[in-house]
Amino acid sequence: GRKLLVDVSTAAKVNDLYFASSDSGLSECVLSPDGTALAYVIGGELFCRSLDGSSQRLLTKSISGECDVSWSDDSRQLAFVGREENGNILRIISSNDPERPDLSASHDFYLSEPIVSEQPLRSPLISPSQTRIAYIRGETQLVVPDLKKLTERTIAEKNPIGEFSWSPDSRYIVY
């Protein structure tokens, strides 16, 4: 296979200069919907970099590592799954810096309360309205939690659930 070289540089305020290639544990790369940033996982840690090279941030520091990264439609939030000792978690990260709303430039982040499951979690997808998230639990459950009430609704149970998407008005899910 071909090697992919990812040059990762940062402002000293956040972390040291770091160069990475696929040999250094690059496991995912996801381009933002607006085409201005790249989210990627290296060695289990989630990074975000502006494509113009002006900024980059390490978004997570975890023991277990992140995967299944997806952007919100407005390119301001990332949903991801983490594997931890007590199970699997799903979280959403966004900028908490009003002067720097882009994840690649922010110095302060908001990390949602985790959704925790003993079963594998995958394919988190933030709704276009950015008010809901859907994901697959196990292989057969399509779940939409109410993040404010901390409850959840299983939309479908079929074996197995593949890809799905939100309708533009965030009212429906097609799978």
Side-chain angles (χ1 to χ4, degrees):
R2 296 174 50 202
K3 287 186 178 183
L4 170 67
L5 179 62
V6 177
D7 175 10
V8 180
S9 58
T10 66
K13 185 174 182 179
V14 177
N15 54 14
D16 294 328
L17 183 64
Y18 183 76
F19 295 94
S21 71
S22 59
D23 293 339
S24 62
L26 177 69
S27 58
E28 289 188 45
C29 283
V30 185
L31 182 65
S32 64
D34 66 5
T36 63
L38 183 68
Y40 53 94
V41 177
I42 295 179
E45 300 303 342
L46 180 58
F47 291 82
C48 183
R49 178 188 177 127
S50 63
L51 288 183
D52 66 7
S54 64
S55 59
Q56 175 184 289
R57 298 290 177 258
L58 169 63
L59 302 178
T60 62
K61 292 181 182 178
S62 66
I63 296 169
S64 60
E66 275 66 60
C67 63
D68 270 344
V69 179
S70 70
W71 287 95
S72 61
D73 282 354
D74 68 354
S75 301
R76 298 286 173 100
Q77 301 177 81
L78 283 169
F80 61 92
V81 173
R83 312 279 188 243
E84 296 195 351
E85 251 180 50
N86 60 343
N88 300 282
I89 62 164
L90 185 147
R91 295 190 99 153
I92 300 171
I93 191 168
S94 58
S95 173
N96 201 28
D97 184 345
E99 294 179 19
R100 296 176 189 90
D102 295 330
L103 282 169
S104 62
S106 181
H107 292 290
D108 186 23
F109 303 103
Y110 171 75
L111 194 58
S112 70
E113 286 297 314
I115 295 169
V116 181
S117 174
E118 291 180 7
Q119 296 181 51
L121 303 175
R122 66 179 170 90
S123 306
L125 189 59
I126 299 169
S127 67
S129 65
Q130 275 104 87
T131 58
R132 300 159 77 188
I133 187 167
Y135 60 90
I136 297 171
R137 180 174 49 215
E139 292 298 318
T140 62
Q141 294 180 329
L142 179 56
V143 179
V144 177
D146 183 323
L147 299 174
K148 292 181 181 164
K149 295 179 184 175
L150 300 177
T151 59
E152 66 181 29
R153 180 173 169 210
T154 301
I155 301 297
E157 291 191 61
K158 85 173 208 184
N159 195 10
I161 294 178
E163 293 185 26
F164 64 93
S165 62
W166 286 98
S167 64
D169 63 3
S170 301
R171 293 179 57 202
Y172 304 101
I173 294 178
V174 178
Y175 61 95

